[in-house]
Amino acid sequence: VVAVYGTLSDLLSVASSKLGIKATSVYNGKGGLIDDIALIRDDDVLFVCEGEPFIDPQTDGRPHEELTGSHTDWLTLNVGGRYFTTTRSTLVNKEPDSMLAHMFKDKDAWGNKQDHRGAFLIDRSPEYFEPILNYLRHGQLIVNDGINLLGVLEEARFFGIDSLIEHLEIAIKNSQPAEDHSPISRKEFVRFLLATPTKSELRCQGLNFSGADLSRLDLRYINFKMANLSRCNLAHANLCCANLERADLSGSVLDCANLQGVKMLCSNAEGASLKGCNFEDPSGLKANLEGANLKGVDMEGSQMTGINLRVATLKNAKLKNCNLRGATLAGTDLENCDLSGCDLQEANLRGSNVKGAIFEEMLTPLHMSQSVR
């Protein structure tokens, strides 16, 4: 067992000293001549000689050529009209279970499938075959500029070069451009809106609009589920029946926005401004903000008749002069909320937390059940 450093000459010098011979050639375990130290891998078993042909110690001393059917014979391939000259050992030894190995392990494997020059005919792409042949020669994946790696991968699969397939899949993955997570600008989004037919469902699910100015845009029925809309300007935007489920609206400005029938289940609107918003749909479709995080929001003067705020968090929110008639506030956290001037007639406050909440100057007297905390 020796450590391999430096050049091939250094390795031959170490081998000569260890074995007491004048080493001139190094072979791998399958009889392949090693001409570059970079081709040696950890735990490789190497064979060193003074110049004689490779002899496998497990074959009773018979020459390698006898065992493999003259694998060192030179041959020419005609691949899609382009000629390649190589040896049988190159096509057989590296990947013995591949299609190429089965094609050429016997001398007459191809029969009469030869052109007028005696080259073996292979009806495949030559530009994709060349990297595969070079890989079989030296074990390195080298692809020239302008060659599509997907084409080489397809050829590797066709010929059954299993060890190369993994290299190519990694190379293809590394060659892909990095995903662009930069926020979408107003200009880009408006261009996108204009290019989309009015009857088509527009899905913006999971997209990044962070900090974008989307004010006064018609965003009705758009799917913004799980989108990043933090710090966006959505003032006066029409979000009627939009899907904002689990969207991030933290720090956004939605003043005077139309939110009729909006879906904001489990959305995060912490610290957002929703002053003067309209959640009330004349057709009876109720806005749904169940489970939403509305900590510290400013919703002063908003129209929220029949809104669903069940188990939402409105701690420290400003709800002054809001119309919450018939709203569902069951289990809602209203701690330290400013509800002065609100219309809470027929609102459901069962199980809600109103600790520290302000109810001064209410338009309708509030009748709390014992279940209100």
Side-chain angles (χ1 to χ4, degrees):
V1 178
V2 297
V4 178
Y5 300 104
T7 65
L8 187 61
S9 298
D10 296 328
L11 176 59
L12 290 170
S13 177
V14 172
S16 298
S17 175
K18 291 277 187 181
L19 302 174
I21 64 172
K22 187 177 181 179
T24 60
S25 304
V26 180
Y27 295 90
N28 63 23
K30 296 181 180 179
L33 179 64
I34 294 176
D35 57 5
D36 186 347
I37 201 169
L39 301 179
I40 300 173
R41 297 291 178 264
D42 290 347
D43 300 324
D44 274 355
V45 176
L46 306 178
F47 295 84
V48 183
C49 71
E50 295 182 295
E52 66 273 16
F54 174 79
I55 298 175
D56 191 335
Q58 299 179 359
T59 60
D60 300 327
R62 286 178 291 164
H64 187 64
E65 290 84 350
E66 284 185 30
L67 297 166
T68 57
S70 300
H71 283 191
T72 55
D73 290 348
W74 287 92
L75 49 82
T76 300
L77 309 178
N78 180 347
V79 182
R82 182 174 164 187
Y83 290 91
F84 297 88
T85 300
T86 185
T87 64
R88 291 183 187 273
S89 60
T90 295
L91 300 175
V92 172
N93 289 347
K94 177 73 176 175
E95 288 279 345
D97 296 324
S98 70
M99 180 187 292
L100 282 173
H102 288 296
M103 286 178 179
F104 294 101
K105 66 180 178 181
D106 296 324
K107 201 168 186 179
D108 298 323
W110 275 88
N112 61 355
K113 290 181 170 55
Q114 294 172 272
D115 65 10
H116 65 284
R117 293 172 54 179
F120 294 102
L121 290 163
I122 300 178
D123 186 19
R124 302 299 293 182
S125 168
E127 66 174 352
Y128 298 143
F129 180 78
E130 183 178 14
I132 290 174
L133 181 58
N134 285 331
Y135 175 77
L136 294 175
R137 285 169 171 159
H138 49 61
Q140 302 293 320
L141 174 60
I142 300 174
V143 181
N144 295 331
D145 292 340
I147 303 297
N148 192 330
L149 289 174
L150 289 173
V152 181
L153 176 60
E154 186 59 33
E155 294 301 287
R157 288 172 174 163
F158 176 80
F159 288 114
I161 315 298
D162 293 339
S163 60
L164 179 57
I165 291 173
E166 184 177 354
H167 288 298
L168 283 164
E169 288 175 342
I170 293 173
I172 290 170
K173 183 178 180 180
N174 292 337
S175 67
Q176 299 297 321
E179 293 186 19
D180 184 7
H181 296 290
S182 58
I184 298 171
S185 67
R186 179 187 179 92
K187 185 177 181 181
E188 291 172 323
F189 190 53
V190 169
R191 190 185 299 122
F192 184 44
L193 288 174
L194 294 175
T196 305
T198 54
K199 293 184 179 180
S200 299
E201 181 186 3
L202 192 56
R203 302 184 66 178
C204 298
Q205 195 164 325
L207 296 184
N208 184 6
F209 296 90
S210 179
D213 180 7
L214 304 179
S215 60
R216 301 181 184 277
L217 293 180
D218 186 354
L219 307 175
R220 288 175 295 173
Y221 300 98
I222 294 180
N223 184 354
F224 288 107
K225 187 176 181 179
M226 294 184 290
N228 183 0
L229 294 156
S230 61
R231 297 176 289 102
C232 276
N233 182 3
L234 289 158
H236 297 276
N238 188 354
L239 286 158
C240 175
C241 296
N243 186 353
L244 292 162
E245 183 178 345
R246 299 185 186 276
D248 185 359
L249 290 154
S250 57
S252 293
V253 176
L254 293 96
D255 295 345
C256 301
N258 183 5
L259 296 166
Q260 295 176 352
V262 71
K263 291 182 179 179
M264 289 178 61
L265 287 83
C266 302
S267 61
N268 176 24
E270 185 170 353
S273 178
L274 292 93
K275 292 185 289 187
C277 289
N278 181 24
F279 291 87
E280 186 177 350
D281 188 352
S283 66
L285 185 62
K286 297 180 180 180
N288 191 347
L289 280 74
E290 184 172 335
N293 177 12
L294 300 166
K295 288 182 181 179
V297 298
D298 187 349
M299 304 178 80
E300 183 175 348
S302 292
Q303 294 296 316
M304 295 188 281
T305 301
I307 193 171
N308 182 1
L309 285 165
R310 183 177 175 273
V311 299
T313 302
L314 284 152
K315 189 175 181 178
N316 299 318
K318 297 178 182 178
L319 299 170
K320 191 174 181 179
N321 299 323
C322 285
N323 183 356
L324 287 162
R325 179 173 296 196
T328 300
L329 295 163
T332 303
D333 186 359
L334 296 167
E335 184 176 347
N336 297 325
C337 278
D338 184 356
L339 290 157
S340 57
C342 284
D343 184 352
L344 284 160
Q345 186 175 350
E346 299 178 2
N348 179 3
L349 286 157
R350 180 180 294 274
S352 61
N353 177 17
V354 295
K355 181 180 178 181
I358 301 173
F359 293 98
E360 297 175 359
E361 302 176 0
M362 297 182 63
L363 298 182
T364 303
L366 176 64
H367 300 285
M368 298 185 185
S369 67
Q370 291 183 350
S371 60
V372 175
R373 292 179 287 127

PDB file of all heavy atoms in Angstrom, residues 111 255 328 344:
ATOM      1  N   GLY A 111     -20.639  -8.665 -37.517  1.00  0.00           N
ATOM      2  CA  GLY A 111     -20.899  -9.338 -38.788  1.00  0.00           C
ATOM      3  C   GLY A 111     -20.565  -8.452 -39.968  1.00  0.00           C
ATOM      4  O   GLY A 111     -19.453  -7.945 -40.107  1.00  0.00           O
ATOM      5  N   ASP A 255     -54.500  50.500   2.392  1.00  0.00           N
ATOM      6  CA  ASP A 255     -55.500  51.522   2.688  1.00  0.00           C
ATOM      7  C   ASP A 255     -56.483  51.667   1.533  1.00  0.00           C
ATOM      8  O   ASP A 255     -56.087  51.756   0.356  1.00  0.00           O
ATOM      9  CB  ASP A 255     -54.821  52.867   2.964  1.00  0.00           C
ATOM     10  CG  ASP A 255     -53.963  52.824   4.219  1.00  0.00           C
ATOM     11  OD1 ASP A 255     -54.116  51.874   5.010  1.00  0.00           O
ATOM     12  OD2 ASP A 255     -53.126  53.739   4.383  1.00  0.00           O
ATOM     13  N   THR A 328     -67.807  37.333  12.850  1.00  0.00           N
ATOM     14  CA  THR A 328     -67.456  36.166  13.653  1.00  0.00           C
ATOM     15  C   THR A 328     -66.112  36.427  14.306  1.00  0.00           C
ATOM     16  O   THR A 328     -65.075  36.470  13.633  1.00  0.00           O
ATOM     17  CB  THR A 328     -67.376  34.896  12.783  1.00  0.00           C
ATOM     18  OG1 THR A 328     -68.642  34.664  12.158  1.00  0.00           O
ATOM     19  CG2 THR A 328     -66.998  33.688  13.623  1.00  0.00           C
ATOM     20  N   LEU A 344     -70.758  46.489  16.679  1.00  0.00           N
ATOM     21  CA  LEU A 344     -70.585  45.065  16.934  1.00  0.00           C
ATOM     22  C   LEU A 344     -71.932  44.353  17.102  1.00  0.00           C
ATOM     23  O   LEU A 344     -71.993  43.289  17.707  1.00  0.00           O
ATOM     24  CB  LEU A 344     -69.728  44.860  18.182  1.00  0.00           C
ATOM     25  CG  LEU A 344     -68.220  45.106  18.008  1.00  0.00           C
ATOM     26  CD1 LEU A 344     -67.555  45.347  19.337  1.00  0.00           C
ATOM     27  CD2 LEU A 344     -67.575  43.942  17.290  1.00  0.00           C
TER      28      LEU A 344
END
